[in-house]
Amino acid sequence: MRNADAAMYYVKENGRHKYHFYTRELTTTAYDRVILETDLKKALGTDQILVYYQPQISLKTKKITGVEALVRWQHPELGLLQPKQFLAVAEQCDLINTIGETVLAIACKQIVKWKNLGLPIETVAVNIAGNQIHHSKLVEIVDNILQQTKCKTEWLELEITEDFILKKTQQAISTLQQLRDLGV
């Protein structure tokens, strides 16, 4: 039953309406995913979630005007992991909201530091996962982080994937309007 279950989940993750025979690789993959999920839960309680910043440059002035916050995971055994190596697992095990809050808080603290140093960075852009928009308290969370970090709303840009907006238009519009009303 366990092997059939592993094959069924493989099909669900890879397009549905198909079939797949069980292989030992499926057990290995499932085991690796469980280990990664467990490690990710531990990572959130430590400083393993990192934020790197990609500059945004004005084509007119050729100067940095803003930055985009990019999440990374400094895994104690696997090294520096890119988002594609862990964000899907985070979405499946409902950790994406916590990771999103962590990245948002780190990015807001950082832009406040840069502004206090007089650096000419206008904004920090932070990606928001579709699951975060589903979160009924997203606007409240953003507002709280802005207040705690003393980050001005005009310094923060939230980026959301277009495909999510197209799939969940009404909910997305409502949440985005509330965020716009905050000044973000």
Side-chain angles (χ1 to χ4, degrees), residues 87-109:
L87 284 185
V89 171
E91 286 182 0
Q92 292 168 359
C93 66
D94 290 330
L95 292 175
I96 196 70
N97 291 328
T98 307
I99 291 172
E101 286 178 46
T102 301
V103 171
L104 183 61
I106 292 169
C108 286
K109 286 177 191 173

Side-chain angles (χ1 to χ4, degrees), residues 103-121:
V103 171
L104 183 61
I106 292 169
C108 286
K109 286 177 191 173
Q110 186 61 58
I111 195 162
V112 169
K113 286 180 186 176
W114 286 331
K115 290 287 190 176
N116 288 339
L117 291 171
L119 297 177
I121 296 172

Side-chain angles (χ1 to χ4, degrees), residues 154-167:
E154 62 267 20
W155 298 345
L156 178 63
E157 291 179 359
L158 299 177
E159 296 185 356
I160 300 142
T161 58
E162 295 86 4
D163 62 329
F164 175 79
I165 293 173
L166 293 174
K167 290 177 189 172

Side-chain angles (χ1 to χ4, degrees), residues 13-170:
E13 291 176 7
N14 291 285
R16 298 181 179 259
H17 306 298
K18 299 176 184 177
Y19 67 91
H20 189 79
F21 292 104
Y22 171 78
T23 62
R24 286 189 180 188
E25 181 180 283
L26 290 177
T27 300
T28 303
T29 302
Y31 177 77
D32 290 346
R33 185 192 170 285
V34 168
I35 296 298
L36 195 66
E37 180 179 331
T38 302
D39 289 350
L40 189 53
K41 286 177 183 175
K42 291 177 191 173
L44 290 169
T46 65
D47 290 332
Q48 294 178 25
I49 301 300
L50 306 175
V51 177
Y52 285 70
Y53 299 92
Q54 178 175 312
Q56 296 172 328
I57 300 171
S58 166
L59 294 176
K60 287 182 182 179
T61 64
K62 309 245 188 293
K63 293 182 180 180
I64 296 175
T65 58
V67 294
E68 181 177 0
L70 306 172
V71 66
R72 301 292 184 264
W73 176 13
Q74 184 62 54
H75 191 282
E77 294 161 13
L78 302 175
L80 190 64
L81 300 181
Q82 301 293 315
K84 67 181 179 180
Q85 295 173 283
F86 66 92
L87 284 185
V89 171
E91 286 182 0
Q92 292 168 359
C93 66
D94 290 330
L95 292 175
I96 196 70
N97 291 328
T98 307
I99 291 172
E101 286 178 46
T102 301
V103 171
L104 183 61
I106 292 169
C108 286
K109 286 177 191 173
Q110 186 61 58
I111 195 162
V112 169
K113 286 180 186 176
W114 286 331
K115 290 287 190 176
N116 288 339
L117 291 171
L119 297 177
I121 296 172
E122 296 171 19
T123 59
V124 61
V126 179
N127 293 314
I128 300 292
N131 290 358
Q132 287 178 269
I133 293 184
H134 282 307
H135 196 287
S136 61
K137 296 185 179 184
L138 176 64
V139 176
E140 182 182 327
I141 289 166
V142 170
D143 190 33
N144 287 339
I145 289 172
L146 288 168
Q147 288 179 33
Q148 289 169 6
T149 61
K150 301 197 180 354
C151 178
K152 293 184 180 179
T153 56
E154 62 267 20
W155 298 345
L156 178 63
E157 291 179 359
L158 299 177
E159 296 185 356
I160 300 142
T161 58
E162 295 86 4
D163 62 329
F164 175 79
I165 293 173
L166 293 174
K167 290 177 189 172
K168 307 283 184 178
T169 306
Q170 285 307 112

